[in-house]
Amino acid sequence: LYLIHTPSGGKCIETWRELLAMRDEGLARAVGVSNFGVAQMEGLRAAGLELPEVNQIELHCWLQQRPTVEWMRANGVAVMGYCPLARCKRFGADAALTELAARTGRTEAELALRWSVQRGIVTIPKSMTPERIVSNAAVVDWELDADAMAVLDGLDCGFKASMSVSSAVFVHPAPRNGV
């Protein structure tokens, strides 16, 4: 999987064309983007290019990016969420999550990861601690009930744990020579 990491810096159209060519030549199995919003992906479409196979965005129960996720799903773009734990910056800050953790016997991290997986998001947590890697992987072995999911859905407050989140408006260049 090769990704354009961010839409900033210009040349998105040219870079996307090159990634598509790499894939078509067999040099990449899949290509996608990261930190693109709806406007940036619509810019690719407006330039006559196919949409990414995946968009990797900061996505967790505190930053759910619902309009972007809905657009991606409606347009066949896989949703990949990085920072699913919000870099642990919100743990202990939300009484509802703390209470849910106590009630379910799960950690706040387990609940945040399970919420993401259960929402159908390709979830990519980061850890260097072997024990945490094992517990992160184990969230696929159980499910949250509807009430627990509602608690986690209610945590969305626009919290950005990463500086990579893009809010820039993408303007695609005017076509040249009909291309």
Side-chain angles (χ1 to χ4, degrees):
L1 173 62
Y2 282 85
L3 302 174
I4 296 176
H5 185 259
T6 179
S8 63
K11 300 197 182 228
C12 286
I13 300 296
E14 297 88 345
T15 304
W16 185 240
R17 278 191 181 117
E18 290 302 317
L19 283 180
L20 291 171
M22 284 177 50
R23 186 210 50 210
D24 294 347
E25 293 169 19
L27 299 173
R29 196 176 290 176
V31 293
V33 295
S34 183
N35 301 304
F36 274 47
V38 172
Q40 290 93 356
M41 290 182 285
E42 284 288 358
L44 297 176
R45 185 191 330 245
L49 300 171
E50 69 183 80
L51 292 174
E53 295 171 62
V54 63
N55 184 16
Q56 183 184 93
I57 58 176
E58 180 177 345
L59 191 57
H60 43 72
C61 50
W62 301 278
L63 182 65
Q64 297 178 23
Q65 301 203 52
R66 290 179 180 129
T68 301
V69 169
E70 289 169 13
W71 187 95
M72 290 166 54
R73 288 189 170 141
N75 287 278
V77 178
V79 181
M80 181 180 286
Y82 70 83
C83 280
L85 301 175
R87 298 194 173 155
C88 305
K89 294 178 181 178
R90 297 288 306 178
F91 294 155
D94 296 291
L97 180 59
T98 303
E99 291 168 14
L100 182 61
R103 183 167 49 90
T104 61
R106 301 287 181 180
T107 67
E108 292 183 20
E110 289 172 319
L111 294 171
L113 289 173
R114 182 62 214 178
W115 172 88
S116 185
V117 169
Q118 205 158 315
R119 283 282 175 241
I121 298 161
V122 178
T123 306
I124 52 172
K126 177 181 172 183
S127 181
M128 295 180 63
T129 308
E131 297 80 18
R132 286 190 185 141
I133 293 169
V134 169
S135 69
N136 290 349
V139 301
V140 300
D141 296 337
W142 51 276
E143 289 190 11
L144 293 166
D145 64 24
D147 291 338
M149 288 297 287
V151 168
L152 292 161
D153 287 341
L155 297 176
D156 192 6
C157 62
F159 176 78
K160 298 176 183 178
S162 170
M163 298 304 292
S164 296
V165 177
S166 174
S167 60
V169 175
F170 180 86
V171 178
H172 68 279
R176 294 184 204 184
N177 301 328
V179 179

